[in-house]
């Protein structure tokens, strides 16, 4: 079975094989201040001669500085690509002024993007509502402004695709960091361009090739210059972003090359714990590592940084859990793996019943609550990855139950706990692996031995398969399973699975058509059985 996420032929390989022109003047990363105050309430008004007063304060200073900058750039336009920014002493007054200017610029950019990104943008030269003062670290090539405008309009419908739990990475947080660094912004625009290609049903376009090529070129130049300037968190983030892009589009061999590079850069900083000072880079790097581990069937490269959850928080193992532990040991014959399966089941049950329901019922939870959720999720993902990758004898078909449960649990975490966007591709990979396993086992004997677990696994495979050719296969199998168990409708299904694992998120808006098809198919089969005299009311 092919273990990689389905891929298309690669614009990334084309981009990496040539040397694009650099579309920006890159400022030193250590001179950027990402912690300064944002100009949240600042709005610029382009005022004609109507008697209104001109902008004042920070707005006026920024406009004047941009005019002076534009005049200087016009004089030296032919030599821009050769200019190297002057390094300033970290404690000098001029550097403090520059840091303050950078902070104000980033705040202004964030405001302008949030204000205008949901509007329809043209690709013409006059379309510069996103960056009217030319403060972005990229220029207009590759339709940069248009793609930034599509950042929200493209991704907004999937802000909470599977559950009301806050996504692991908020778009505002991600974009705010991206506009601070040339390589990150190019890689981010590569993701936007790839999503637009997906929506248009094409494999690539010039914008995608351009931005990916620019990001790769910038990263390579920074790595080549590492003896003079240490690798920064921005460069690590850019490589993680490129790795996730490869994961969406390329074969596993290409993903591995980027992941190897990401691991080497993190090691050069002193290991993953060296990124603790910048939580976004730490979380994103670990997330990409986990996704690559799932796709490549390999161990995660980075150790867990978050503390292990307190086992005292978990409820005692239920009678159903104890019964399953005994069945797993007796039927599959691997005692330590049976014990581990039930332990991760207990954590997942606590995660669904407590953490997800609390945070899903709030528009915004506290940061401490989300940190606790991330801690549980990180620990659980590492243990589930180890569970599904455990080597079992091919002759022991009963042991397939471990990977079946592990893949279904990973699908739940990626979709409902982390609320990852569907374009990540991992849910589809999980459903494919679940179907492959279901095809090789004696399904009926597994359903007799583990009725609730198998019903939940089949359901999770179906939910993860929406929009794929396998969706119809899972709908038919779930319909047959529910009909055989005497389950009609989602209310009865929830009642049957509550003691094992159930979340109201399974009935979310994104799955309405799926459930309609399941119970429509069931109604048709029941009607056929009645007409043939084979179904008793």
């Amino acid at each position: 079975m092919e273990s990689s996420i389905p891929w298309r032929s690669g614009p990334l390989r084309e981009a990496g094989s040539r040397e694009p022109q650099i579309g920006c003047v890159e400022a030193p990363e250590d001179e950027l201040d990402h912690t300064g105050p944002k100009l949240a309430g600042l709005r610029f008004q382009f005022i004609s001669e109507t008697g209104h007063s001109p902008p004042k304060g920070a707005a006026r200073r920024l406009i004047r500085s941009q005019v002076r900058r534009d005049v200087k750039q016009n004089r030296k336009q032919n030599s821009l690509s050769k200019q190297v920014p002057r390094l300033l002493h970290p404690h000098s007054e001029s550097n403090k002024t520059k840091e303050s200017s950078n902070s104000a610029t980033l705040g202004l950019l964030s405001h302008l993007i949030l204000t205008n990104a949901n509007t329809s943008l043209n690709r013409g030269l006059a379309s510069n509502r996103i960056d009217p003062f030319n403060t972005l670290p990229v220029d207009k090539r590759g339709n940069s402004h248009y793609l930034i405008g599509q950042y929200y309009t493209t991704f907004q419908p999937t802000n909470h695709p599977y559950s009301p739990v806050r996504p692991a990475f908020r778009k505002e947080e991600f974009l705010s960091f991206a506009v601070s660094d040339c390589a990150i912004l190019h890689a981010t625009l590569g993701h936007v361009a790839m999503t637009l290609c997906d929506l248009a049903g094409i494999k690539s376009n010039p914008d995608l090739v351009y931005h990916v090529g620019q990001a790769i070129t910038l990263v390579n130049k920074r790595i080549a210059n590492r003896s003079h300037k240490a690798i920064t968190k921005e460069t690590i983030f850019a490589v993680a972003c490129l790795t996730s892009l490869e994961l969406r589009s390329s074969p596993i061999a290409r993903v591995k090359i980027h992941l190897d590079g990401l691991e080497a850069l993190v090691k050069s900083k002193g290991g993953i714990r060296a990124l603790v000072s910048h939580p976004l880079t730490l979380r994103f790097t670990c997330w990409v590592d986990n996704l690559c581990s799932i796709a490549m069937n390999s161990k995660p490269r980075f150790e867990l940084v978050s503390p292990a959850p307190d086992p005292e928080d978990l409820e005692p193992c239920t009678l159903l859990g104890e019964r399953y532990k005994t069945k797993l040991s007796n039927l599959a014959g691997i005692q330590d793996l049976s014990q581990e399966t039930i332990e991760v089941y207990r954590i997942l049950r606590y995660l669904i019943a407590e953490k997800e329901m609390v945070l899903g019922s709030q528009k915004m939870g506290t940061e401490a609550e989300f940190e606790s959720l991330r801690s549980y999720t990180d620990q659980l993902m590492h243990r589930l990855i180890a569970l599904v990758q455990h080597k079992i004898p091919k002759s022991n078909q009963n042991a397939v139950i471990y990977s079946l449960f592990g893949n279904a649990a990973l699908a739940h975490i990626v979709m409902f706990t982390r609320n990852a966007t569907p374009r990540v591709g991992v849910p589809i990979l999980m459903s494919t692996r679940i179907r492959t396993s279901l095809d090789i086992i004696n399904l009926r004997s597994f359903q007799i031995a583990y009725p609730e677990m198998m019903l939940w696994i089949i359901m999770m495979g179906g939910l993860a398969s929406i929009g794929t050719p396998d969706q119809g296969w899972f709908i038919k199998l779930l319909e047959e399973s529910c009909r055989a168990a005497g389950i009609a409708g989602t209310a009865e299904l929830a009642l049957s699975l509550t003691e094992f694992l159930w979340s109201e998120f399974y009935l979310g808006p994104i799955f309405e058509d799926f459930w309609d098809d399941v119970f429509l198919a069931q109604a048709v089969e029941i009607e056929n059985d009645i007409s043939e005299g084979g179904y008793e009311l």
Side-chain angles (χ1 to χ4, degrees):
M1 179 187 65
E2 181 64 40
S3 63
S4 65
I5 292 176
W7 67 282
R8 79 194 111 190
S9 60
L12 306 194
R13 287 175 286 169
E14 298 171 11
S17 62
R18 58 182 171 177
E19 187 85 4
Q21 294 294 317
I22 301 299
C24 65
V25 178
E26 185 185 7
E29 294 169 321
D30 53 3
E31 290 184 19
L32 293 173
D33 181 4
H34 311 298
T35 60
K38 306 294 183 183
L39 301 181
L42 188 58
R43 291 181 179 271
F44 285 94
Q45 301 292 331
F46 295 90
I47 301 172
S48 58
E49 295 182 5
T50 60
H52 292 274
S53 61
K56 298 180 180 181
R60 182 178 183 180
R61 290 195 296 273
L62 184 57
I63 292 173
R64 287 184 172 180
S65 68
Q66 293 307 321
V67 171
R68 289 194 294 270
R69 173 185 169 185
D70 289 343
V71 171
K72 185 177 180 180
Q73 285 181 336
N74 289 335
R75 291 174 180 173
K76 300 183 178 181
Q77 185 174 3
N78 295 330
S79 61
L80 263 178
S81 61
K82 301 179 182 179
Q83 292 180 5
V84 178
R86 180 172 58 91
L87 295 179
L88 301 175
H89 191 278
H91 301 296
S92 67
E93 289 299 321
S94 56
N95 194 40
K96 291 179 182 178
T97 302
K98 184 176 182 63
E99 288 177 352
S100 176
S101 175
N102 282 334
S103 175
T105 299
L106 291 178
L108 173 61
L109 278 173
S110 298
H111 171 73
L112 289 173
I113 290 170
L114 288 172
T115 301
N116 293 308
N118 284 321
T119 61
S120 176
L121 295 180
N122 298 317
R123 293 173 182 260
L125 294 176
S127 176
N128 198 16
R129 295 175 64 180
I130 291 294
D131 187 26
F133 303 118
N134 296 319
T135 51
L136 281 171
V138 299
D139 58 23
K140 297 180 183 179
R141 284 178 290 181
N143 285 311
S144 298
H145 295 164
Y146 171 78
L147 292 177
I148 292 174
Q150 295 304 306
Y151 181 85
Y152 281 95
T153 56
T154 301
F155 296 156
Q156 191 64 35
T158 58
N159 194 33
H160 296 273
Y162 299 112
S163 76
V165 176
R166 190 180 83 184
F169 304 100
R170 288 173 291 179
K171 299 179 185 67
E172 297 83 1
E173 179 185 31
F174 201 103
L175 185 59
S176 179
F177 189 44
V179 298
S180 72
D181 181 81
C182 196
I184 299 176
L185 187 53
H186 277 302
T188 301
L189 296 183
H191 273 284
V192 177
M194 183 175 289
T195 300
L196 293 176
C197 287
D198 291 340
L199 294 174
I202 59 178
K203 294 180 178 180
S204 181
N205 66 17
D207 294 346
L208 173 58
V209 174
Y210 172 78
H211 286 291
V212 173
Q214 294 286 53
I216 291 174
T217 300
L218 287 166
V219 166
N220 285 339
K221 286 189 174 184
R222 295 177 186 181
I223 294 173
N225 195 44
R226 65 186 181 278
S227 59
H228 302 289
K229 181 180 179 182
I231 297 297
T232 63
K233 63 182 182 296
E234 287 83 3
T235 299
I236 291 174
F237 195 99
V239 174
C241 200
L242 286 169
T243 305
S244 67
L245 200 64
E246 292 281 4
L247 196 59
R248 293 179 60 187
S249 64
S250 300
I252 290 301
R254 293 285 304 173
V255 176
K256 184 178 183 300
I257 292 173
H258 279 67
L259 186 60
D260 289 343
L262 180 61
E263 182 182 22
L265 291 179
V266 171
K267 285 183 177 178
S268 74
K269 292 292 291 181
I272 192 68
R273 293 184 180 276
L275 301 179
V276 170
S277 60
H278 195 261
L280 178 61
T281 301
L282 172 65
R283 287 188 280 115
F284 187 64
T285 301
C286 291
W287 172 243
V288 171
D289 180 36
N290 284 336
L291 295 183
C292 290
S293 298
I294 293 170
M296 297 166 59
N297 268 324
S298 61
K299 295 181 179 179
R301 305 292 182 93
F302 305 122
E303 63 178 308
L304 285 168
V305 176
S306 56
D310 187 351
E312 295 296 325
D313 291 340
L314 306 180
E315 65 178 13
C317 191
T318 63
L319 290 176
L320 181 63
E322 292 290 352
R323 189 162 71 247
Y324 268 97
K325 182 166 65 173
T326 302
K327 286 185 176 183
L328 288 169
S329 297
N330 293 340
L331 298 176
I334 306 177
Q335 188 170 356
D336 58 340
L337 212 55
S338 300
Q339 176 69 32
E340 176 65 5
T341 300
I342 296 304
E343 287 300 314
V344 297
Y345 159 72
R346 288 178 62 205
I347 298 175
L348 180 60
R349 182 176 168 81
Y350 174 74
L351 198 67
I352 293 173
E354 300 293 337
K355 297 293 184 180
E356 289 181 6
M357 291 306 298
V358 170
L359 292 175
S361 63
Q362 304 174 14
K363 288 187 177 181
M364 286 292 291
T366 66
E367 197 58 40
E369 288 174 325
F370 280 104
E371 188 59 41
S372 176
L373 179 70
R374 284 193 290 264
S375 178
Y376 273 96
T377 304
D378 292 343
Q379 296 283 336
L380 195 53
M381 286 193 74
H382 270 236
R383 294 176 72 168
L384 286 169
I385 289 171
L387 179 66
V388 300
Q389 294 177 5
H390 189 90
K391 301 298 181 183
I392 57 175
K394 291 184 178 180
S395 58
N396 187 359
Q397 189 184 77
N398 288 333
V400 175
I401 189 64
Y402 300 122
S403 60
L404 272 171
F405 174 76
N407 282 322
L410 282 170
H412 175 96
I413 290 174
V414 172
M415 290 193 295
F416 300 103
T417 312
R418 300 305 295 263
N419 224 345
T421 55
R423 68 180 182 276
V424 167
V426 171
I428 296 175
L429 178 61
M430 296 296 95
S431 71
T432 302
R433 290 178 177 175
I434 289 171
R435 176 173 179 175
T436 300
S437 297
L438 292 174
D439 281 337
I440 65 173
I441 65 173
N442 185 329
L443 180 59
R444 184 56 184 158
S445 66
F446 271 60
Q447 288 177 315
I448 293 173
Y450 318 105
E452 298 89 356
M453 180 183 284
M454 288 303 299
L455 184 59
W456 180 77
I457 289 170
I458 293 169
M459 180 192 67
M460 287 307 304
L463 296 179
S465 73
I466 58 171
T468 72
D470 284 341
Q471 180 176 335
W473 186 89
F474 277 106
I475 286 173
K476 185 175 186 300
L477 180 58
L478 184 57
E479 177 274 318
E480 292 173 351
S481 301
C482 288
R483 186 156 45 93
I487 297 171
T490 53
E492 292 184 16
L493 180 62
L495 188 62
S496 300
L497 289 178
T498 296
E499 190 180 359
F500 182 70
L501 289 172
W502 177 259
S503 171
E504 290 300 318
F505 301 159
Y506 299 156
L507 305 178
I510 194 172
F511 303 115
E512 285 181 357
D513 291 342
F514 175 84
W515 289 116
D516 287 346
D517 290 343
V518 169
F519 292 107
L520 176 61
Q522 187 183 56
V524 170
E525 290 299 324
I526 291 175
E527 184 177 348
N528 290 339
D529 288 343
I530 292 174
S531 64
E532 295 173 5
Y535 189 88
E536 296 182 3
L537 294 176

